[in-house]
Amino acid sequence: MAIDTATPAPVSSATPSPEKKTRREINILAGFGHLFLAVWALLIIAPLVWTFLASFKDNEEIFGDAWTLPATLRFDNWARAWTEANVGQYFLNSVFVVSLSTAGTMLLGAMAAYVLARYTFFGNRIIYYLFVSGLAFPVFLALVPLFFVVRNLGLLNSYVGLILVYIAYSLPFTVFFLAAFFKSLPNSVAEAAIMDGASHTRLFFQVMMPMARSGLISITIFNVIGQWNQYLLPLALLQGEGAEEKWVLTQGIANISTTAGFHADWGGLFAALTMAILPMIVIYAIFQRQIQSGLTSGAVK
Amino acid sequence: MRHGKYPFVIGFLAAPVTIYVVFVIAPYAQAFYMALTNWRGLSPGQFVGLENFTRLFQDEVFWKALRHHGILLLALPLITIIIALFLAFMLNVGGGSQKGMMAGVWGSKFYRVVFFLPQVLAIAILGVLFQSVYRPDGSGMINSLVSKAGLEPIGFLIDPKLALWSIVAVLVWQGVGFYVVLFSAGMSNIPKDIYEAAMLDGATRSSMFFRVTLPLLWDTLQVAWVYLGIAAFDCFAIVQTLTVDQGGPDGSTTVIGMEIYRNAFVYSKYGYASAMGVALFFLTITFAALSLRVSRRESVEM
């Protein structure tokens, strides 16, 4: 999707040089624009770097001047955050929940989208619009009844409940996007496979899923990021006895932030923040191209 | 299709449709009924008709939240889109023509990666992070610089006039990168020779932007507007994690989502919270329908 992948090196053609006036205008504008780009990049990087540095400071340094370096690298902040403040636990909880819920979302979403996109049967349109209508409904509308649905099923404060809810709320987008994708796949391959005696199920798993790989990857990324960053649903559904051990990372960090004041452990808070942010930055750095195209392709279509 | 179609179709749809109906459709349907009761969680609630809604319209906090959504709805898309458009234009065609090609400025790949970065960070975590950015004394990131410049420190989150704008700033900070990439994708679809032709006709940079880029990006802009508008009706996570007393000072940053959460899980006013949810739903739907109607115009064929 990024432009620099799309354009091969051009063969220089003899274009007439533009007039001086435009060239000067270009230089001024390009200079100003470049400055603006650099400033914005700095605005993004500065708070993150600053948090990283603050994770080595003690309380005195944190409440002193913001723009000083820590005297020493205090790794005990990190140790405290990981063990006492349970950031390690929260982190693993998040990984566990999101990997299961994304896998479930993709499998169920792809199955539903495939059937809705490529089979005609009674009720097809109704089910499709039922899914798509979910795109227009804010989660807050259903927050209270959802809490009681989950409670009555005995799934409150359990990962099973949370994962099922994640899957349910990710389905509209997933089905909508994948149905469009499955529709665009050619018929000839499917027909050939059916002629060869493949069952519908086999056709789906061995022919259609591999063909839709690029779409599946994009939507997977979309769901991973969305569910990883989810805050409201775990807040509403993971409460009660022993909920603290089950908390996901966003909840855990928000809680550490409120208790940092009581414990006067600000270094620990920044260490916890850094731990929450750093893995995301690393993963993003590795997959940045897929992530960017994955997140935006859904919007362009 | 031939034999065995229906067992397959039903088999494939059973699980997703069941989960979806139980956890999404059923709660949505119940929310509309619940909004008409005075249910407080213990005894079964009684049906009270529209009483919750009449109370809602006299509720000062609700109107406050509504006003904040109005501000967010105007400010958030406008600021984000303008900054993102400018940055994307600089990245893609700001470098002038090199060897007869429109090129982005130097380092545009690096910039694109950096701008997009906040998008992968959870807004709840950013809320916690920005508490330290905004701290009202010399230990705050911004105020440290402000006091170095010899000015009075700014109470970003404790001044009711500034608090909401501090929230907007965080949302813009986080959101711009996504739209830079989105607009870049749109701009890369614009054929280069249109720019070439415009250059030869002596078009300036700015007229090129307004006469070529903007019209051809219209559909993408519309998508961005709707996305940001819908985001403006949420904002719960950032308000809950960043503001003083979760929506303060003195309710000056509260949003409907925050009030729904508070009414449901703090006061146990389930009927009333559902009524707020219903109000929020109609607001969102109205906005989406309106913006799609208003911005519909002839899209330029390429």
Side-chain angles (χ1 to χ4, degrees), chain A residues 43 65 67 120 130 231 284, chain B residues 5 113 141 144 148 173 240:
Chain A
L43 284 179
D65 187 1
W67 292 96
T120 45
L130 195 67
Y231 179 63
Y284 169 66
Chain B
K5 185 175 78 169
V113 173
M141 256 184 76
S144 162
K148 274 201 183 74
W173 181 88
Q240 217 258 8

Side-chain angles (χ1 to χ4, degrees), chain A residues 97-111:
Chain A
V97 169
V98 170
S99 40
L100 283 181
S101 59
T102 304
T105 303
M106 292 316 294
L107 181 68
L108 297 177
M111 280 162 44

Side-chain angles (χ1 to χ4, degrees), chain B residues 187-206:
Chain B
M187 284 179 192
S188 65
N189 290 336
I190 299 174
K192 292 268 175 270
D193 41 17
I194 297 185
Y195 285 118
E196 299 289 300
M199 284 282 274
L200 290 180
D201 289 345
T204 58
R205 189 74 14 158
S206 52

